[in-house]
Amino acid sequence: GPGAAAAAWGGPGWRLPGRVLELVFSYLELRELRSCALVCKLWHRVLHGDENSEVWRSLAARCLAEEALRTDILCNVPTYKGKVRAFHHAFSTNDCSRNVYIKKNGFTLHRNPIAQSTDGARTKIGFSEGRHAWEVWWEGPLGTVAVIGIATKRAAMQCQGYVALLGSDDQSWGWNLVDNNLLHNGEVNGSFPQCNNAPKYQIGERIRVILDMEDKTLAFERGYEFLGVAFRGLPKVCLYPAVSAVYGNTEVTLVYLGKPLDG
């Protein structure tokens, strides 16, 4: 491990200049970098002091699809470290309905045109603490039901018919963008946002989702307008960003942003 490597380099002798350490680190994978960050303050500073350093640039080039770096998918994730983190928090290729696949860019779900099926996907990583923000946007027709929100690991990601899968039981919470209803436990929890004649979702609009596991709330923003808290009293379990869709060939993109920027 890195600790052994440090010892092998003979005590103070392994205190290489930051630039040299950066070059060495740029060949390592994320798991190894995590271990390296624990070795000493210098190594930690070299790794995390500059989120656009050669370490993160080369890791981004290796793990991210060229399309993700070339297009505006990650335009709201300014640093290379942030882009790498977003990829590790993207939709899981293994934890989704069999009727969807994750595109080569690594961030966009494509729903195959399967009749009488509702299909969802969860991200690779869930949260049981802290505050987290991510963006979701639809790149194709919404159909009759298009739900964004959160789910536990136990929530189903596929079912018969065209239904609001996210929010259909006590394991998930969703906002249906088609009729502006909030859904949990198979029931409508009121409309959202709570204003008269709330504008309908437009294809391509980025919705920002904010999960606060300290306050146990889920909130949404559209553009830079805070739409309010949608759900309160969330359970202290591991919750995953999730979506569910019904329309054939529709595409949904999800990008993890990190901690919300507000206070």
Side-chain angles (χ1 to χ4, degrees):
W9 288 347
W14 56 268
R15 284 185 173 276
L16 298 165
R19 184 79 193 99
V20 178
L21 279 172
E22 206 176 294
L23 279 172
V24 173
F25 291 158
S26 68
Y27 288 95
L28 303 181
E29 296 309 316
L30 187 64
R31 196 173 63 244
E32 297 159 334
L33 291 175
R34 282 197 183 117
S35 304
C36 288
L38 302 174
V39 168
C40 66
K41 282 181 181 158
L42 172 67
W43 285 27
H44 188 277
R45 195 164 63 243
V46 169
L47 275 174
H48 297 297
D50 176 6
E51 296 205 350
N52 282 312
S53 70
E54 188 55 44
V55 181
W56 298 112
R57 280 172 191 269
S58 58
L59 191 54
R62 290 200 304 278
C63 77
L64 288 167
E66 195 183 322
E67 186 193 339
L69 292 169
R70 206 179 57 238
T71 60
D72 68 349
I73 286 175
L74 297 171
C75 66
N76 291 335
V77 185
T79 70
Y80 282 96
K81 181 183 174 185
K83 294 178 202 298
V84 169
R85 183 179 57 199
F87 173 73
H88 284 277
H89 283 273
F91 282 128
S92 168
T93 52
N94 310 316
D95 195 11
C96 55
S97 163
R98 63 183 179 275
N99 299 325
V100 305
Y101 64 85
I102 311 307
K103 292 178 73 177
K104 278 215 303 277
N105 67 30
F107 295 90
T108 303
L109 166 158
H110 181 104
R111 184 192 176 275
N112 290 324
I114 306 292
Q116 289 301 320
S117 178
T118 301
D119 306 283
R122 264 180 293 257
T123 55
K124 300 171 204 162
I125 298 173
F127 311 109
S128 49
E129 56 186 29
R131 298 174 73 234
H132 307 273
W134 61 93
E135 288 179 326
V136 187
W137 65 97
W138 240 260
E139 300 188 38
L142 299 179
T144 50
V145 201
V147 191
I148 62 176
I150 49 174
T152 70
K153 200 71 168 171
R154 289 165 56 195
M157 286 292 120
Q158 193 273 330
C159 73
Q160 286 289 303
Y162 301 132
V163 299
L165 179 56
L166 218 57
S168 63
D169 62 14
D170 64 353
Q171 299 296 308
S172 56
W173 295 256
W175 175 24
N176 182 8
L177 299 175
V178 178
D179 60 14
N180 280 345
N181 278 340
L182 294 177
L183 307 152
H184 175 58
N185 219 358
E187 296 165 358
V188 173
N189 275 28
S191 59
F192 185 86
Q194 285 178 328
C195 57
N196 292 330
N197 303 324
K200 285 281 193 232
Y201 177 81
Q202 302 296 312
I203 294 300
E205 269 187 315
R206 296 188 179 210
I207 299 286
R208 191 163 292 192
V209 190
I210 301 155
L211 174 65
D212 188 330
M213 290 305 288
E214 310 314 310
D215 280 352
K216 303 183 178 59
T217 57
L218 188 72
F220 296 96
E221 287 177 3
R222 177 168 26 212
Y224 287 95
E225 181 195 0
F226 184 68
L227 299 178
V229 171
F231 294 100
R232 299 180 187 278
L234 297 172
K236 198 76 168 143
V237 294
C238 192
L239 297 170
Y240 293 75
V243 302
S244 69
V246 299
Y247 198 88
N249 294 321
T250 196
E251 297 190 334
V252 192
T253 302
L254 185 151
V255 174
Y256 179 73
L257 301 171
K259 285 190 172 66
L261 294 177
D262 53 58

